[in-house]
């Protein structure tokens, strides 16, 4: 299988939508990296068109299958692994904060197939996990808007907490590096002082021997 092509998307807002289209060859996998906070819902939809030589255009093929795989890169945990039709949707919730690889691919029995696929992908990031137990079937429009605002504020708070944790990790790493640099400098000074002391003692003994002669 051809090496996966990696793109990086950065979450700039609490709720973001990413839409694009790209091309796949037969048995090729394409992966995208999403940096997600904890407990964040990601919804994706895709639509694949296959190249038809007779029509010289990309057309729908009902027999075409799309494989969707989502993996937490830090832990290696597989969040999603599913096979769907040429047009479908997928949803998952991030368990841990960090980078998630969203991969799509096709699979043909023949490794020498030369089919080309145009795949449209739309990903929405930032919806919080719904609380089904406390959800009300009959809720006013105003209450629904307030709940949506609260959910978005919670997403922002979670993203800020995640960024603070990353900043703390970088700060600890910088402090550890600075500490090692200081100890290295002190060790150099000690070695230089010891070398100077040894040389002075050697010179002193040398001149004393010359006087005695």
């Amino acid at each position: 299988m051809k090496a996966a092509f990696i793109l990086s998307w950065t979450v700039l807002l609490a709720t973001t939508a990413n839409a694009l289209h790209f091309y796949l060859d037969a048995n090729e996998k394409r992966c995208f990296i999403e940096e997600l906070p904890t407990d964040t819902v990601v919804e994706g939809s895709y639509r694949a068109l296959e190249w038809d030589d007779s029509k010289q255009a990309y057309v729908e093929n009902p027999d075409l299958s799309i494989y969707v795989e989502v993996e937490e890169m830090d832990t290696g945990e597989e969040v999603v692994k599913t096979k769907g039709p040429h047009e479908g949707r997928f949803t998952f919730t991030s368990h841990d904060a960090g980078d998630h690889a969203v991969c799509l691919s096709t699979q043909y029995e023949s490794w020498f197939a030369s089919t080309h696929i145009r795949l449209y992908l739309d990903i929405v990031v930032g919806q919080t996990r719904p609380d089904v137990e406390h959800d009300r079937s009959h809720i006013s429009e105003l209450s629904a808007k307030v709940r949506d605002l609260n959910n978005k504020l919670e997403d922002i708070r979670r993203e800020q907490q995640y960024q603070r944790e990353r900043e703390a990790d970088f700060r600890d790493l910088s402090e550890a590096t600075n500490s090692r640099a200081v100890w290295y400098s002190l060790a150099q000074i000690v070695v230089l002082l010891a070398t100077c002391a040894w040389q002075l003692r050697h010179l002193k003994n040398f001149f004393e021997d010359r006087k005695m002669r």
Side-chain angles (χ1 to χ4, degrees):
M1 182 174 293
K2 297 183 179 180
F5 177 75
I6 304 297
L7 293 179
S8 178
W9 292 340
T10 303
V11 179
L12 299 178
L13 299 175
T15 301
T16 59
N18 300 304
L20 76 160
H21 76 272
F22 53 93
Y23 296 89
L24 288 174
D25 292 331
N27 299 315
E28 181 184 5
K29 178 187 290 188
R30 192 69 58 88
C31 294
F32 303 90
I33 305 303
E34 278 288 352
E35 184 180 0
L36 302 173
T38 307
D39 291 336
T40 300
V41 174
V42 178
E43 296 182 354
S45 60
Y46 63 88
R47 177 170 174 259
L49 301 177
E50 187 172 4
W51 177 257
D52 189 331
D53 288 331
S54 62
K55 297 181 180 179
Q56 290 294 300
Y58 287 94
V59 298
E60 292 187 356
N61 181 2
D63 297 329
L64 178 63
S65 297
I66 300 297
Y67 291 81
V68 179
E69 300 173 72
V70 179
E71 178 182 320
E72 290 183 355
M73 300 187 67
D74 293 338
T75 62
E77 180 182 355
E78 200 168 54
V79 181
V80 175
K81 185 175 184 180
T82 182
K83 173 184 176 182
H86 70 284
E87 183 175 1
R89 304 177 63 87
F90 61 91
T91 303
F92 68 92
T93 302
S94 59
H95 300 154
D96 298 315
D99 290 336
H100 290 65
V102 181
C103 301
L104 294 94
S105 62
T106 60
Q107 185 171 342
Y108 292 84
E109 295 182 359
S110 173
W111 287 95
F112 302 100
S114 58
T115 304
H116 299 287
I117 304 297
R118 176 190 288 171
L119 206 154
Y120 296 86
L121 177 63
D122 185 13
I123 293 182
V124 179
V125 180
Q127 297 183 358
T128 55
R129 180 184 298 172
D131 190 353
V132 180
E133 296 180 358
H134 296 85
D135 190 18
R136 300 177 181 178
S137 57
H138 303 286
I139 189 170
S140 65
E141 182 179 355
L142 180 61
S143 297
K145 290 182 178 179
V146 171
R147 184 180 62 182
D148 291 340
L149 288 174
N150 288 333
N151 289 339
K152 292 180 179 179
L153 289 174
E154 181 65 21
D155 287 330
I156 295 174
R157 185 198 63 79
R158 189 180 297 109
E159 176 67 19
Q160 291 176 340
Q161 179 63 28
Y162 174 64
Q163 295 299 334
R164 282 195 295 268
E165 292 174 358
R166 289 193 61 185
E167 182 182 356
D169 292 339
F170 285 127
R171 184 175 62 251
D172 293 342
L173 179 61
S174 298
E175 291 176 354
T177 302
N178 292 335
S179 178
R180 286 194 293 267
V182 170
W183 282 110
Y184 180 73
S185 299
L186 291 176
Q188 285 184 317
I189 293 173
V190 171
V191 171
L192 289 173
L193 291 176
T195 303
C196 291
W198 179 82
Q199 289 179 341
L200 290 173
R201 183 176 179 181
H202 178 73
L203 290 173
K204 180 181 178 182
N205 294 334
F206 174 76
F207 287 120
E208 288 178 353
D209 291 343
R210 291 293 298 270
K211 288 181 179 180
M212 291 179 64
R213 293 178 183 178

